[in-house]
Amino acid sequence: MYRIENLEYNKRVTVHAPGTVANLVCGFDILGLCLHEPHDVMHVTLLDEPKVVIESLDGYPLPADPQLNTAGAPLLEMIHEVDATVGFHVSIQKNIKPGSGVGSSAASAAGAVVAANHLLGNIFSPTDLVRFAMAGEKVASGVKHADNVAPCIIGGVTLIRSIFPLDIVSIPSPELFVTVVHPQIEIRTADARQILRKEVLLKDAIKQWGNIAGLVAGFMQNDLSLIGRSLEDVIIEPVRSILIPGFSDVKQQCKEAGALGGGISGSGPSIFMLSKDEPTATAVEQVMKDVYNKLGIPYHTYVTTINQQGVTKAS
Ligand code: HSE
């Protein structure tokens, strides 16, 4: 229990809660990186009653019961660990669409707990905040996973070595560009997890852990070719890519345009590609646009970089 004195009730903090790319192709549930764009804007106000009120600023229908809300559930967990009467009012401008694959639920959860922690005098550690935020992921997908909330809170590339107990490792990375295309179809993470096989072949596991180790080593050694070679997934992508129209064309043509590699962002439908410089990332964006224009599927694209800060306080 954390005891807090001199609370400033009615004080309001605004944060930017960025999107994230979970899995990084080969690292299902254990790797993720933080983006600069897109990001949600969240205003959180400290209340003198133990309750959580969630308000949508842009008409997204959000569950009124905070237990069922990705921002509300983490705040309720946080309130339980504070030895003072506190509550929070949260208003959210959701720029990251739910079901997009760029960490929409994680942004709500992470933004809420980082803002609330500011209002409480930053008593909780980043690991505590990730622990609270995972309650939001449980609401969204039925399972606690930290590969979106950890990079969203901590920034950069993160490895989640374990979630029980939480063991998060920040991985240094080169300044890469990230191109994301979000075809405007919705894939619920819970559904995208449901279709996965429960068992893997040893030969596939060997390939996969070779790639995970290669990707981490590539980031740490600034070895772009190793990063590219390691962005390969023999377990999850063959199953999930079926849900994403145009996936194999995007992947193949983006690599031909110079991308190091990439794949499904989180549980999809967004697809991300890493590039060494901005001109390549922009050429990759054009390839993505061409594929979805041809398919007649509306989309959004982002050309952005790895965000080393995570959730930031705007005011
Ligand atoms: N690791 C999670 C999954 C991320 O792929 O289901 C969801 O964004």
Side-chain angles (χ1 to χ4, degrees):
M1 270 290 184
Y2 285 86
R3 198 168 174 75
I4 322 169
E5 274 142 32
N6 304 324
L7 284 167
E8 260 189 83
Y9 291 116
N10 297 320
K11 187 175 169 186
R12 185 173 105 146
V13 160
T14 299
V15 293
H16 290 174
T20 42
V21 173
N23 301 337
L24 297 184
V25 183
C26 51
F28 180 69
D29 275 2
I30 63 160
L31 286 172
L33 66 73
C34 188
L35 301 169
H36 276 109
E37 294 300 335
H39 70 263
D40 290 345
V41 180
M42 301 176 71
H43 311 283
V44 181
T45 307
L46 187 64
L47 306 177
D48 59 4
E49 289 175 71
K51 63 175 184 180
V52 175
V53 183
I54 313 281
E55 180 195 2
S56 164
L57 294 177
D58 45 24
Y60 269 123
L62 300 175
D65 179 351
Q67 289 278 15
L68 305 177
N69 184 284
T70 53
L75 291 176
L76 291 171
E77 298 233 333
M78 187 184 244
I79 288 170
H80 278 129
E81 295 194 16
V82 174
D83 191 11
T85 306
V86 293
F88 301 98
H89 178 280
V90 184
S91 46
I92 310 182
Q93 161 105 34
K94 248 344 285 124
N95 302 321
I96 312 170
K97 264 203 175 172
S100 59
V102 276
S104 174
S105 52
S108 298
V113 294
V114 171
N117 198 33
H118 278 296
L119 293 167
L120 299 177
N122 289 314
I123 53 171
F124 292 109
S125 69
T127 305
D128 287 332
L129 298 182
V130 171
R131 182 166 51 83
F132 296 138
M134 281 200 301
E137 294 293 48
K138 178 116 198 250
V139 169
S141 67
V143 187
K144 285 190 174 181
H145 59 92
D147 52 340
N148 291 106
V149 290
C152 194
I153 289 169
I154 293 164
V157 177
T158 57
L159 163 69
I160 323 305
R161 196 201 60 81
S162 149
I163 54 166
F164 299 120
L166 256 181
D167 188 357
I168 303 163
V169 185
S170 282
I171 307 294
S173 61
E175 288 180 14
L176 297 174
F177 283 78
V178 190
T179 314
V180 179
V181 62
H182 173 203
Q184 302 290 290
I185 51 175
E186 187 180 339
I187 296 180
R188 292 179 60 244
T189 298
D191 297 337
R193 295 181 79 90
Q194 197 64 43
I195 60 169
L196 297 176
R197 290 190 297 261
K198 302 288 173 277
E199 279 151 21
V200 297
L201 295 173
L202 182 59
K203 72 176 177 51
D204 290 339
I206 292 167
K207 272 197 176 170
Q208 199 84 353
W209 57 55
N211 283 323
I212 295 166
L215 186 58
V216 170
F219 279 130
M220 297 184 73
Q221 295 175 1
N222 214 335
D223 184 336
L224 303 191
S225 163
L226 178 57
I227 291 173
R229 296 199 302 282
S230 305
L231 286 166
E232 187 200 16
D233 173 5
V234 295
I235 295 175
I236 309 294
E237 183 183 288
V239 181
R240 282 187 171 170
S241 58
I242 294 159
L243 303 175
I244 307 173
F247 178 79
S248 53
D249 285 344
V250 168
K251 193 169 168 178
Q252 189 195 323
Q253 292 174 29
C254 287
K255 283 205 214 168
E256 285 164 11
L260 300 173
I264 304 171
S265 177
S267 55
S270 289
I271 304 168
F272 81 102
M273 287 285 149
L274 299 181
S275 298
K276 64 178 185 319
D277 55 30
E278 193 166 12
T280 311
T282 308
V284 163
E285 180 188 33
Q286 191 55 51
V287 166
M288 292 169 165
K289 288 181 174 178
D290 290 345
V291 169
Y292 285 105
N293 284 337
K294 212 162 155 192
L295 287 172
I297 296 173
Y299 56 83
H300 286 304
T301 54
Y302 306 93
V303 176
T304 185
T305 49
I306 301 175
N307 174 346
Q308 300 293 344
Q309 275 80 51
V311 179
T312 46
K313 188 164 166 268
S315 62

